[in-house]
Amino acid sequence: VNITSKFSVFDYFHSGTSSLSEYSVEVGNEIEKYTSKLSSYGCVICEGLVELITKTNIQSSLAPFIKNLIHSYDITDDSFGDIDKELLNITRMPRIGNGKHNVHFDPQFSNQHFQLQLLAEKANFHKILSKYMDKECTLRETGISITRPIMTFGANALSVAGEGMEWHSDGSKGEATVLMSMKDISPSMGCLHVVPSSHLDYIDGVGHEEETLAANKLLLNEKKFDYAYRAFQPILIDARTLHSVSNNCSDDWRVVIWFIFDC
């Protein structure tokens, strides 16, 4: 199978790290190019898979939704208090950090989920992942991670960044996460950090032990590569692969789309 597109790479550039090319595959390559990177590194950055018409549809669907979310944000409660989850077809939106929330779209009724499902199909995520896992892989869920910018509040006028995430993996063997932004994300907004080949250290039934992760932070930081998201240049990640996110220290909201696949 040859993954092709009638468009070439769209304004892709590495985030100041030339080594990112080691983890990237351009559109037009055989599917084995993608699966080879996944096997070796537990991740692959996909250049040019998302077509222009698909980008437009996603932006049309998500931009008003995100604007509505941001408008309803209450920094005091760190919540989106005025949001009607049932009306917006949101199944849940847990707070996963200071100023950081995960929004889960209803797979049956959400237009946002429908548009993201179409994107996933046209970009052949399932074909790449099914070939990699040697089993039929299907999309289980979609949503967004939304992190507020640095804000000043309280009696002492403290400036507090939107929180990132510590080292973690998303799941076990047979699961995968696809992460993507609709616009370029600057390093100050929060890079994605990935430890290549860490999926090979995952222990079935145990995962990555928290004590070991805590004790090896310096080593993980030495091994990682940083990905400042490029617009519509998704990264496919074996769910066992270790990754983290730095704080949002910018003046802009950080929004990352996620797709969960399993087989």
Side-chain angles (χ1 to χ4, degrees), residues 113-128:
H113 174 81
F114 175 71
Q115 293 298 334
L116 291 175
Q117 186 178 38
L118 288 179
L119 181 153
E121 291 173 357
K122 291 182 179 180
N124 291 303
F125 294 159
H126 65 291
K127 288 185 179 180
I128 296 171

Side-chain angles (χ1 to χ4, degrees), residues 44-154:
V44 60
I45 299 170
C46 303
E47 304 179 16
L49 283 187
V50 183
E51 297 184 351
L52 183 58
I53 185 65
T54 308
K55 294 181 184 182
T56 303
N57 291 340
I58 293 298
Q59 289 169 329
S60 297
S61 175
L62 277 179
F65 177 90
I66 293 167
K67 183 178 180 180
N68 190 15
L69 274 184
I70 293 173
H71 180 73
S72 71
Y73 180 69
D74 185 339
I75 189 172
T76 304
D77 296 331
D78 192 13
S79 67
F80 301 95
D82 295 333
I83 287 296
D84 186 331
K85 292 196 291 290
E86 184 175 357
L87 180 64
L88 294 176
N89 295 310
I90 298 171
T91 57
R92 57 195 180 99
M93 48 188 310
R95 178 179 181 270
I96 57 173
N98 186 1
K100 188 179 188 67
H101 294 75
N102 263 351
V103 180
H104 296 246
F105 297 137
D106 190 314
Q108 286 187 294
F109 303 109
S110 168
N111 178 62
Q112 286 73 35
H113 174 81
F114 175 71
Q115 293 298 334
L116 291 175
Q117 186 178 38
L118 288 179
L119 181 153
E121 291 173 357
K122 291 182 179 180
N124 291 303
F125 294 159
H126 65 291
K127 288 185 179 180
I128 296 171
L129 294 171
S130 295
K131 180 72 173 179
Y132 167 61
M133 297 181 185
D134 199 26
K135 289 183 181 179
E136 184 63 27
C137 199
T138 57
L139 178 64
R140 185 177 77 206
E141 192 176 14
T142 65
I144 61 171
S145 170
I146 182 167
T147 309
R148 65 162 175 76
I150 191 167
M151 289 185 172
T152 302
F153 63 98

Side-chain angles (χ1 to χ4, degrees), residues 17 25 106 151 153 185 208 238:
T17 309
V25 174
D106 190 314
M151 289 185 172
F153 63 98
I185 298 244
H208 297 281
D238 184 310

